[in-house]
């Protein structure tokens, strides 16, 4: 059974770059039929799709974050990484990684999420 | 961006009740609509994909319907573990967007 685990710093200073990693276990990140997405949830709020990446490295970003966000994939380590630059308090959120089923484009497996606070 | 609007924002119900949550898209999304359940401190859990398909392992009391712009999630007989927040999400076009959520309370 595929499991996803997010990791990264819980606290980031304003203007710095946030880096998070999603490690996939129980299956290959290149198994086909899936791609990988990051989604965040601001405190007490709804869900916001950030970006996705295929195992080929092809990406798509939310235009609201496109100038600051970048995804990468390391198939040898079964990991997907997110970097978000020039963070502000508005980037404080729980960040989830998710596996997306290509046929239908729906996230079917989610990580538990990692809480990130932006504060000096 | 496609805007997703859920109603109601909150709902009070009792165990055994039949409950319906609606989701409206700002333009046609065909059947690219998914439903999630989220409990406090947990990740969202997929219930229904492409409008009406029950995700494996999800109880059959959950059902989805709709196409185009109007969709519904129905819980046929509420169980205690169903009290949570429910989100719809469109996967028709990027950026994928979510509804604001419906909090289902006792």
């Amino acid at each position: 059974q595929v499991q996803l685990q997010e990791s990264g710093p819980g606290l980031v200073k304003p203007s710095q770059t946030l880096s998070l990693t999603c490690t996939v276990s129980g299956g290959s990140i290149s198994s086909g039929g899936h791609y990988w997405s990051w989604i965040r949830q601001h405190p007490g709020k709804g869900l916001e799709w950030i970006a996705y990446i295929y195992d080929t490295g092809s990406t798509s970003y939310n235009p609201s974050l496109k100038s600051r966000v970048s995804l990468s994939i390391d198939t040898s380590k079964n990991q997907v990484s997110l970097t978000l630059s020039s963070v502000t308090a508005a980037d404080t959120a729980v960040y989830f990684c998710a596996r997306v089923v290509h046929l239908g484009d729906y996230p079917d497996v989610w990580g538990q999420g990692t809480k990130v606070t932006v504060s000096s | 961006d496609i805007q997703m609007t859920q109603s109601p924002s909150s709902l009070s119900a009792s165990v055994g009740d039949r409950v319906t949550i609606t989701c409206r898209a700002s333009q046609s999304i065909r059947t690219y609509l998914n439903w999630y359940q989220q409990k406090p401190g947990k990740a969202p859990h997929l219930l229904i994909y492409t409008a009406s398909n029950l995700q494996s392992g999800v109880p059959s009391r959950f059902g989805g319907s709709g196409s185009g712009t109007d969709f519904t999630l129905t819980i046929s007989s509420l169980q205690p573990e169903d009290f949570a927040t429910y989100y719809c999400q469109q996967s028709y076009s990027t950026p994928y967007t979510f509804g604001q959520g419906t909090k289902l309370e006792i």
Side-chain angles (χ1 to χ4, degrees):
Chain A
Q1 182 176 351
V2 171
Q3 293 185 312
L4 284 63
Q5 179 68 58
E6 304 90 345
S7 59
L11 180 65
V12 183
K13 289 180 169 33
S15 80
Q16 291 189 340
T17 294
L18 167 66
S19 296
L20 298 175
T21 298
C22 174
T23 301
V24 178
S25 59
S28 171
I29 206 168
S30 302
S31 61
H34 302 98
Y35 55 96
W36 309 90
S37 187
W38 286 92
I39 296 157
R40 69 181 182 179
Q41 187 168 35
H42 295 103
K45 302 293 185 182
L47 297 154
E48 178 183 29
W49 174 75
I50 300 172
Y52 69 65
I53 187 167
Y54 282 86
D55 60 355
T56 58
S58 177
T59 56
S60 178
Y61 299 111
N62 191 323
S64 67
L65 297 167
K66 188 174 184 177
S67 63
R68 299 193 293 127
V69 69
S70 178
L71 295 195
S72 62
I73 191 164
D74 187 333
T75 55
S76 66
K77 294 183 179 179
N78 249 20
Q79 291 180 333
V80 175
S81 296
L82 173 147
T83 59
L84 182 64
S85 63
S86 304
V87 298
T88 70
D91 295 309
T92 293
V94 176
Y95 287 75
F96 297 100
C97 65
R99 185 182 78 170
V100 183
V101 177
H102 181 61
L103 190 63
D105 297 302
Y106 56 91
D108 67 335
V109 180
W110 295 62
Q112 65 184 24
T114 188
K115 184 177 180 180
V116 175
T117 301
V118 179
S119 174
S120 56
Chain B
D1 300 4
I2 297 175
Q3 305 302 314
M4 306 300 295
T5 304
Q6 287 181 235
S7 62
S9 296
S10 64
L11 176 60
S12 294
S14 301
V15 172
D17 283 356
R18 179 183 179 89
V19 167
T20 298
I21 298 169
T22 65
C23 180
R24 175 165 289 176
S26 59
Q27 65 182 75
S28 176
I29 57 170
R30 295 166 59 185
T31 57
Y32 286 88
L33 189 283
N34 312 305
W35 289 99
Y36 302 88
Q37 176 193 71
Q38 187 179 33
K39 296 183 178 180
K42 301 293 187 182
H45 175 64
L46 178 67
L47 299 174
I48 302 286
Y49 61 93
T50 53
S52 60
N53 293 285
L54 191 68
Q55 173 68 351
S56 175
V58 174
S60 59
R61 62 180 179 274
F62 290 93
S65 64
S67 66
T69 61
D70 295 313
F71 302 86
T72 60
L73 172 70
T74 300
I75 309 172
S76 60
S77 178
L78 274 174
Q79 299 301 301
E81 60 268 29
D82 299 337
F83 292 94
T85 300
Y86 292 84
Y87 292 94
C88 62
Q89 178 239 341
Q90 66 84 15
S91 52
Y92 178 75
S93 68
T94 57
Y96 300 145
T97 47
F98 293 82
Q100 82 279 15
T102 295
K103 187 173 183 179
L104 180 52
E105 300 174 300
I106 300 174

